[in-house]
Amino acid sequence: MVDIATRVWNHRWKIDPIVRSLIDTDFYKLLMCQSVFRNRPDTTVTFSLINRSTHIPLADLVDEGELREQLDHVRTLSLRRGESTWMRGNTFYGKRQMFTPAFMDWLEHLALPPYHLDRVGDQYELTFEGPWPEVMMWEIPALAILMELRSRAVLETMGKFELQVLYARAMTKLWEKIDRLRALPDLRIADFGTRRRHSFLWQDWCVQAMQEGLGDRFTGTSNCLIAKNRDLEAIGTNAHELPMVYAALARDDATLAQAPYDVLSDWHEEHEGNLRIILPDTYGTKGFLENAPDWLAGWTGIRIDSGDPVEGAETAIRWWQSRGEDPHDKLIIFSDGLDADKIEDLHRRFAHRTRVSFGWGTLLTNDFRGLTEGDALAPFSLVCKAVAANGRPTVKLSDNPRKAMGPSEEVARYKRVFGVGEQVEMEVVV
Amino acid sequence: MVDIATRVWNHRWKIDPIVRSLIDTDFYKLLMCQSVFRNRPDTTVTFSLINRSTHIPLADLVDEGELREQLDHVRTLSLRRGESTWMRGNTFYGKRQMFTPAFMDWLEHLALPPYHLDRVGDQYELTFEGPWPEVMMWEIPALAILMELRSRAVLETMGKFELQVLYARAMTKLWEKIDRLRALPDLRIADFGTRRRHSFLWQDWCVQAMQEGLGDRFTGTSNCLIAKNRDLEAIGTNAHELPMVYAALARDDATLAQAPYDVLSDWHEEHEGNLRIILPDTYGTKGFLENAPDWLAGWTGIRIDSGDPVEGAETAIRWWQSRGEDPHDKLIIFSDGLDADKIEDLHRRFAHRTRVSFGWGTLLTNDFRGLTEGDALAPFSLVCKAVAANGRPTVKLSDNPRKAMGPSEEVARYKRVFGVGEQVEMEVVV
């Protein structure tokens, strides 16, 4: 029996929305948003979409009208009652009332601010400007929309069974990875793949496959909507955007040098336990740790998001030891360009030396490499970053110079202030 | 939106029937049934299920109660109005009114006769006895039911996503074969996989994938229900059951030697063109062709269903040449244990020397080899054959002694009458 109402309803769609909920976003965005709302609510920021894979001609692949429709649709979204109830009533990281009543009142009235879209050559220039707590909420939906519109453009040319076989292959590919990971004892792994996912439905499938395939070893998802729908833990802590904006706001070199620690000092007041995770690489991990105040060594863990992950983990372990901490009590979260082989390798190297956890992103939710002719569905490196704060440019150095960004004279100044020397370049796949 | 009515309806099922239509059967069964109805309506036959893969303990795998339910359900089926209309009104092999009004009147009132089911060790003894035109209609549903009940027993132990990945892998596997076959120019291939299919829905999927993947090179399906539902050609001619029963009815050796030709003589009166296909191997291809009357050389083609197919095709070509026929005008149909590699090989060898066509069976609709632990879903060799006619045992020799059947003294007599010497044994996979 065909459900006629469903058919008729589907025919009425003006568009098939990609982002259908304000909480179809990463959990750490909400945590950071609350932190910004509390500590720096009046900052004006500019976020900008940056396609690091310039060989992907996004503006040729994705229709501008469709892109505008999708972005416009996001601006019509507001927090639904059940979503608000979930955020207010749920336990996150073991804590009730993670989100304050003041923040929730504000979030319930949030509508995303306008966007600016221009076509430049074969790329889009997409920027968002306004109050930091509002603008920052654009990052994940903007990325997810562009990734999925690109997927749709490729899928549109395929036959019905060709499509089914494409998904069959992608399912098989993921399941084979899950089969391999099942062999790792005490694995702890979460889905971090919202931003560069193939599509919402596919991410939802991947999460459910991880649930069935890995059981307790699958610790949750960064995606709040999926966490809510599937009764999973929402996972995530904080990101580069905080130190980047704090740093841009610094009046002089001394304040700049202090900015990354100011971020964590604010965070220290708000969060404890597994939410106290250091992201040390914004301006070079080595210098950051050497100059870190002692109270930071008491934090639970370190997230390694750029550079050689083995070197990063060794650096973290040495640092804890130098500060009199036992690495066995600490947590290292790997989250940079992971795939099954890298996860296996890192787990084998470090699981007996410290607590280890993985945030598996794009190659969990968008590994269509090798599945289409010309690899037209291979994921690529698209980011949406804060590029300015109160009119001043932001800078990121990272532990991989290919991930660095900012005006070159500012990059030079930051390198000097943070004492960053030679860095090893590493390929950025996703 | 969930279709509530569908859900409620599904909950009401006493069983989930495997065979839901009398025409969920091979087209050649209907052609042969009409021929039997016309030429030998009063013959009493016994059909018996034979599991040639004795390592598959069918009675341990398949619940007897479920098996009885499925068989009982088939006995409740009768030809539906739309099915009768399709048989009466459709064009088969370019001919209108393939089925006579008298046969259709009879078929519209047909209900399948009783079955006899016993458990013997880890196997089932399943037999059908009665008038030939009625009993013969049991063959395909009986096989399809046992194959699918075995699939269901294995699938029952699997998780939801494990199941989805299983089908994903099976789809990928088939699509890769289709991709290979797409490279063959002028390929002509049909689905012959009803009897030993994994399940009805899976066969339906395979047929549709062949349609999309091969276009015109996919010539149709032997399954009448799927042909009707999908607007495809119904494909098939005749099978061993005709010469086996005709031979069993022979009063003496001379009549016996003539029986296979009597079958084709009856067929000659009823059919022309592409339905005039010789199946020469029932009692040895070599002797059959040597002793064949000249009018048989005028037939359109030969189907090769046992033995080494290359040798079979060479024998056929030499025979046509010896009778003054041009093999380029003739058709060879390969239908024994085909898979993509064998199809490629035979096409490459013979497509320029004669017209070639393929009837792809079990490894099209049930190739789950290597997809489950312990290969629990690998297809196996189950047949349902006429074992007696008017109380006399039937015999099949075939071009592969492993496919031979019948009491040994009768096998010896047939070998003598038909001049069959040494034969090469070949493995029977499916």
Side-chain angles (χ1 to χ4, degrees):
Chain A
M1 284 182 251
V2 173
D3 182 349
I4 301 174
T6 302
R7 284 282 288 260
V8 172
W9 173 255
N10 290 349
H11 282 154
R12 267 203 315 223
W13 284 349
K14 199 171 69 78
I15 61 165
D16 183 2
I18 290 170
V19 174
R20 294 172 184 229
S21 157
L22 267 194
I23 66 164
D24 180 8
T25 193
D26 279 340
F27 180 65
Y28 76 0
K29 272 285 167 181
L30 297 177
L31 287 184
M32 289 192 290
C33 189
Q34 172 165 261
S35 182
V36 169
F37 174 78
R38 172 182 152 152
N39 299 303
R40 309 277 171 126
D42 301 324
T43 314
T44 295
V45 298
T46 306
F47 268 65
S48 181
L49 191 91
I50 299 153
N51 180 8
R52 292 193 289 217
S53 307
T54 45
H55 64 282
I56 307 284
L58 269 183
D60 293 343
L61 292 168
V62 170
D63 179 75
E64 186 176 329
E66 281 181 47
L67 175 54
R68 287 185 184 276
E69 277 181 338
Q70 294 292 346
L71 295 167
D72 290 341
H73 182 77
V74 172
R75 294 198 63 216
T76 69
L77 297 174
S78 61
L79 200 65
R80 285 190 203 90
R81 186 169 176 165
E83 295 167 347
S84 176
T85 304
W86 179 77
M87 287 183 68
R88 287 175 185 267
N90 196 24
T91 303
F92 299 101
Y93 280 80
K95 181 177 167 185
R96 291 219 175 273
Q97 288 212 289
M98 176 69 81
F99 298 101
T100 65
F103 175 68
M104 289 308 302
D105 289 348
W106 171 83
L107 191 65
E108 279 168 1
H109 293 93
L110 173 68
L112 293 203
Y115 61 88
H116 311 281
L117 177 64
D118 280 310
R119 188 190 166 121
V120 179
D122 59 8
Q123 300 294 334
Y124 285 119
E125 253 183 33
L126 176 59
T127 55
F128 311 92
E129 205 177 318
W132 190 6
E134 297 180 14
V135 165
M136 67 188 294
M137 294 299 290
W138 261 117
E139 177 183 354
I140 309 299
L143 291 171
I145 284 171
L146 269 153
M147 293 305 290
E148 186 162 345
L149 281 179
R150 186 268 206 149
S151 302
R152 289 185 183 182
V154 175
L155 300 172
E156 220 163 54
T157 61
M158 298 174 73
K160 186 174 162 191
F161 282 76
E162 201 183 356
L163 271 176
Q164 223 183 340
V165 171
L166 172 73
Y167 283 106
R169 285 181 166 147
M171 286 175 182
T172 302
K173 196 171 184 187
L174 175 57
W175 196 256
E176 275 160 13
K177 295 182 189 179
I178 291 174
D179 258 346
R180 284 171 58 181
L181 296 181
R182 212 198 313 267
L184 302 184
D186 308 323
L187 178 69
R188 296 185 67 72
I189 190 165
D191 157 37
F192 276 22
T194 298
R195 67 190 59 206
R196 282 190 288 270
R197 68 194 181 197
H198 169 80
S199 73
F200 172 75
L201 288 177
W202 177 246
Q203 181 185 16
D204 195 36
W205 191 91
C206 294
V207 165
Q208 292 175 76
M210 293 281 279
Q211 261 186 297
E212 181 176 305
L214 294 179
D216 287 349
R217 279 171 286 188
F218 179 56
T219 56
T221 170
S222 65
N223 188 296
C224 299
L225 183 63
I226 295 176
K228 172 178 169 290
N229 290 347
R230 305 281 167 211
D231 262 331
L232 285 163
E233 292 293 323
I235 305 281
T237 55
N238 57 62
H240 301 105
E241 120 178 48
L242 295 178
M244 284 168 72
V245 172
Y246 274 51
L249 298 176
R251 292 165 320 248
D252 52 41
D253 287 0
T255 330
L256 173 59
Q258 198 51 38
Y261 307 111
D262 291 344
V263 167
L264 300 186
S265 168
D266 285 346
W267 198 262
H268 194 87
E269 282 175 39
E270 298 166 59
H271 300 296
E272 48 194 27
N274 280 348
L275 283 174
R276 287 190 177 163
I277 302 294
I278 304 167
L279 180 64
D281 66 328
T282 316
Y283 303 118
T285 294
K286 202 166 151 286
F288 176 89
L289 292 179
E290 276 168 13
N291 301 318
D294 269 336
W295 56 265
L296 259 184
W299 274 36
T300 306
I302 289 181
R303 179 157 74 94
I304 293 172
D305 200 45
S306 64
D308 177 355
V310 173
E311 201 181 302
E314 295 290 358
T315 303
I317 289 171
R318 273 196 310 272
W319 179 66
W320 279 317
Q321 286 166 335
S322 76
R323 300 288 176 115
E325 301 281 336
D326 182 354
H328 290 95
D329 303 332
K330 298 296 182 179
L331 175 63
I332 291 182
I333 301 174
F334 295 102
S335 63
D336 182 31
L338 296 178
D339 206 359
D341 47 358
K342 208 185 270 188
I343 294 168
E344 284 172 339
D345 180 51
L346 293 170
H347 185 271
R348 189 173 47 74
R349 285 174 190 264
F350 294 106
H352 58 291
R353 299 174 58 195
T354 179
R355 288 156 59 213
V356 166
S357 155
F358 297 92
W360 194 7
T362 310
L363 297 180
L364 166 60
T365 60
N366 197 357
D367 189 3
F368 284 67
R369 291 174 300 175
L371 303 186
T372 54
E373 237 170 294
D375 233 354
L377 283 176
F380 59 102
S381 189
L382 191 69
V383 295
C384 182
K385 292 283 185 191
V387 293
N390 288 352
R392 301 159 62 100
T394 67
V395 169
K396 184 184 175 190
L397 299 180
S398 163
D399 286 332
N400 179 0
R402 294 217 191 153
K403 281 185 163 185
M405 46 173 286
S408 53
E409 66 278 16
E410 285 294 301
V411 168
R413 177 181 158 234
Y414 275 63
K415 280 192 161 181
R416 177 173 49 75
V417 168
F418 290 102
V420 174
E422 277 296 300
Q423 292 179 303
V424 182
E425 286 206 7
M426 297 187 66
E427 198 195 350
V428 177
V429 178
V430 287
Chain B
M1 284 182 252
V2 173
D3 183 348
I4 301 174
T6 303
R7 284 283 286 261
V8 172
W9 173 256
N10 290 349
H11 283 153
R12 270 203 313 225
W13 283 351
K14 200 172 67 80
I15 60 165
D16 183 3
I18 290 170
V19 174
R20 295 172 184 230
S21 157
L22 267 194
I23 66 164
D24 180 8
T25 194
D26 280 339
F27 179 65
Y28 76 1
K29 273 285 165 180
L30 297 177
L31 286 185
M32 288 191 292
C33 190
Q34 172 165 262
S35 181
V36 168
F37 173 80
R38 171 181 153 154
N39 299 304
R40 308 279 172 124
D42 301 325
T43 315
T44 295
V45 297
T46 306
F47 268 65
S48 181
L49 191 90
I50 299 152
N51 180 8
R52 293 194 289 217
S53 308
T54 46
H55 64 281
I56 306 283
L58 268 183
D60 293 342
L61 292 169
V62 171
D63 179 77
E64 186 177 330
E66 282 180 48
L67 175 54
R68 286 186 185 277
E69 276 181 340
Q70 293 293 345
L71 295 168
D72 290 342
H73 182 79
V74 172
R75 295 198 63 216
T76 71
L77 296 174
S78 62
L79 201 67
R80 286 192 202 87
R81 186 169 176 166
E83 294 166 349
S84 175
T85 305
W86 178 76
M87 288 182 68
R88 287 174 185 268
N90 196 24
T91 302
F92 299 100
Y93 281 79
K95 180 176 167 186
R96 291 219 175 271
Q97 289 211 289
M98 176 69 80
F99 298 101
T100 65
F103 176 67
M104 290 308 301
D105 289 347
W106 172 84
L107 191 65
E108 279 167 2
H109 293 93
L110 174 68
L112 293 204
Y115 61 88
H116 311 282
L117 176 65
D118 280 310
R119 188 191 165 120
V120 179
D122 59 7
Q123 299 294 335
Y124 285 119
E125 253 184 33
L126 177 59
T127 55
F128 311 92
E129 205 178 318
W132 190 5
E134 297 179 15
V135 165
M136 67 188 294
M137 293 300 289
W138 260 117
E139 177 183 355
I140 309 299
L143 291 170
I145 283 171
L146 269 153
M147 295 305 289
E148 187 163 345
L149 282 179
R150 186 268 206 149
S151 302
R152 288 185 185 183
V154 175
L155 300 173
E156 221 163 55
T157 62
M158 297 175 72
K160 187 174 163 193
F161 282 75
E162 200 183 355
L163 271 177
Q164 222 184 340
V165 170
L166 172 73
Y167 284 105
R169 285 182 167 145
M171 286 174 180
T172 302
K173 196 170 183 187
L174 176 57
W175 196 255
E176 275 160 13
K177 295 182 190 179
I178 291 175
D179 257 346
R180 285 172 57 182
L181 296 181
R182 210 197 315 266
L184 302 183
D186 308 323
L187 177 70
R188 295 185 68 73
I189 189 163
D191 158 38
F192 275 22
T194 297
R195 67 190 59 207
R196 281 190 289 270
R197 67 192 181 199
H198 168 80
S199 73
F200 172 75
L201 287 177
W202 178 245
Q203 182 185 18
D204 196 35
W205 191 92
C206 295
V207 165
Q208 291 175 78
M210 293 280 280
Q211 259 186 298
E212 182 178 303
L214 294 179
D216 287 349
R217 278 170 286 187
F218 179 56
T219 55
T221 170
S222 66
N223 187 295
C224 298
L225 183 62
I226 295 177
K228 172 177 169 290
N229 290 346
R230 305 280 168 211
D231 262 331
L232 286 163
E233 292 294 324
I235 304 282
T237 55
N238 57 61
H240 302 105
E241 113 177 55
L242 295 178
M244 283 168 72
V245 173
Y246 274 51
L249 298 175
R251 291 166 320 253
D252 51 42
D253 288 358
T255 331
L256 174 59
Q258 198 52 36
Y261 308 111
D262 291 344
V263 168
L264 300 186
S265 167
D266 285 346
W267 199 262
H268 194 88
E269 282 175 38
E270 296 167 59
H271 300 295
E272 48 194 26
N274 281 347
L275 283 174
R276 287 189 176 165
I277 302 295
I278 303 167
L279 180 65
D281 67 329
T282 315
Y283 303 118
T285 294
K286 200 166 152 286
F288 176 90
L289 292 179
E290 276 169 12
N291 301 319
D294 270 337
W295 54 265
L296 260 184
W299 273 34
T300 306
I302 288 180
R303 179 156 76 93
I304 293 173
D305 200 44
S306 65
D308 175 357
V310 173
E311 200 180 302
E314 295 290 358
T315 305
I317 288 170
R318 274 197 308 273
W319 177 67
W320 280 317
Q321 285 166 337
S322 75
R323 301 288 177 112
E325 300 281 337
D326 182 353
H328 290 95
D329 303 333
K330 298 296 182 180
L331 175 64
I332 292 182
I333 300 175
F334 295 102
S335 62
D336 182 31
L338 295 178
D339 206 0
D341 47 358
K342 207 185 271 189
I343 294 168
E344 284 172 339
D345 179 52
L346 293 169
H347 185 270
R348 189 172 45 76
R349 286 174 190 264
F350 294 106
H352 57 290
R353 299 174 57 195
T354 178
R355 287 157 57 211
V356 166
S357 156
F358 297 91
W360 194 8
T362 310
L363 296 179
L364 165 61
T365 61
N366 197 0
D367 189 3
F368 284 66
R369 291 174 300 176
L371 302 186
T372 55
E373 237 169 293
D375 233 354
L377 283 175
F380 59 103
S381 189
L382 190 71
V383 295
C384 182
K385 292 282 186 192
V387 292
N390 288 352
R392 302 159 61 98
T394 66
V395 169
K396 183 185 175 188
L397 299 179
S398 163
D399 287 331
N400 178 2
R402 295 218 191 153
K403 283 185 163 184
M405 45 172 287
S408 52
E409 64 279 19
E410 285 295 301
V411 167
R413 175 181 159 233
Y414 275 63
K415 279 191 162 184
R416 176 173 50 74
V417 169
F418 289 104
V420 173
E422 277 296 300
Q423 289 179 305
V424 181
E425 286 208 6
M426 296 187 67
E427 198 195 351
V428 178
V429 179
V430 288

